[in-house]
């Protein structure tokens, strides 16, 4: 079985539309996807276990990902930082 790749044709392409980037200014450098605890900890500047404890205490909203995994939305991470997450700076 062969995999067919479809590209956007010239007929459906909108030349006036801007191409979206991975990190929008609203996310302050965070990618526009769900993040792992390690990625959140790296961005915030704390230990990965601190992120896990935050979602266990209900301070950081997480989504289940598989059986044991958790993922975090960038909007929730920025909200957690605004409410006083333990960062490198603070």
């Amino acid at each position: 079985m062969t995999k067919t790749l479809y590209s956007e044709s010239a007929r459906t392409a909108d030349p006036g539309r801007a191409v979206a980037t991975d990190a929008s200014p609203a996310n302050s450098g965070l990618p526009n996807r769900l993040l792992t605890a390690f990625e959140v900890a790296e961005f915030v500047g704390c230990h990965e276990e601190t992120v896990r404890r935050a979602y266990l205490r209900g301070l950081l909203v997480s989504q289940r990902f598989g059986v044991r995994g958790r993922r975090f939305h960038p909007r929730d991470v920025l909200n957690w930082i605004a409410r006083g997450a333990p960062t490198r700076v603070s």
Side-chain angles (χ1 to χ4, degrees), residues 18-57:
V19 177
T21 59
D22 230 4
S24 66
N27 286 345
S28 300
L30 284 174
N32 191 17
R33 62 177 172 80
L34 295 177
L35 305 168
T36 64
F38 179 77
E39 292 170 332
V40 172
E42 191 174 78
F43 178 76
V44 172
C46 63
H47 196 271
E48 188 176 356
E49 190 62 29
T50 305
V51 175
R52 289 193 181 105
R53 288 180 184 149
Y55 78 74
L56 287 173
R57 291 179 183 152

Side-chain angles (χ1 to χ4, degrees), residues 2-84:
T2 61
K3 186 181 263 189
T4 307
L5 298 175
Y6 297 99
S7 63
E8 191 174 37
S9 68
R11 183 169 30 120
T12 60
D14 184 8
R17 185 178 63 186
V19 177
T21 59
D22 230 4
S24 66
N27 286 345
S28 300
L30 284 174
N32 191 17
R33 62 177 172 80
L34 295 177
L35 305 168
T36 64
F38 179 77
E39 292 170 332
V40 172
E42 191 174 78
F43 178 76
V44 172
C46 63
H47 196 271
E48 188 176 356
E49 190 62 29
T50 305
V51 175
R52 289 193 181 105
R53 288 180 184 149
Y55 78 74
L56 287 173
R57 291 179 183 152
L59 301 174
L60 180 59
V61 179
S62 67
Q63 294 180 357
R64 293 293 302 247
F65 193 81
V67 178
R68 296 185 313 181
R70 296 278 180 171
R71 295 293 189 268
F72 305 92
H73 196 278
R75 170 189 66 228
D76 297 327
V77 173
L78 293 174
N79 185 14
W80 181 50
I81 292 170
R83 288 184 287 124

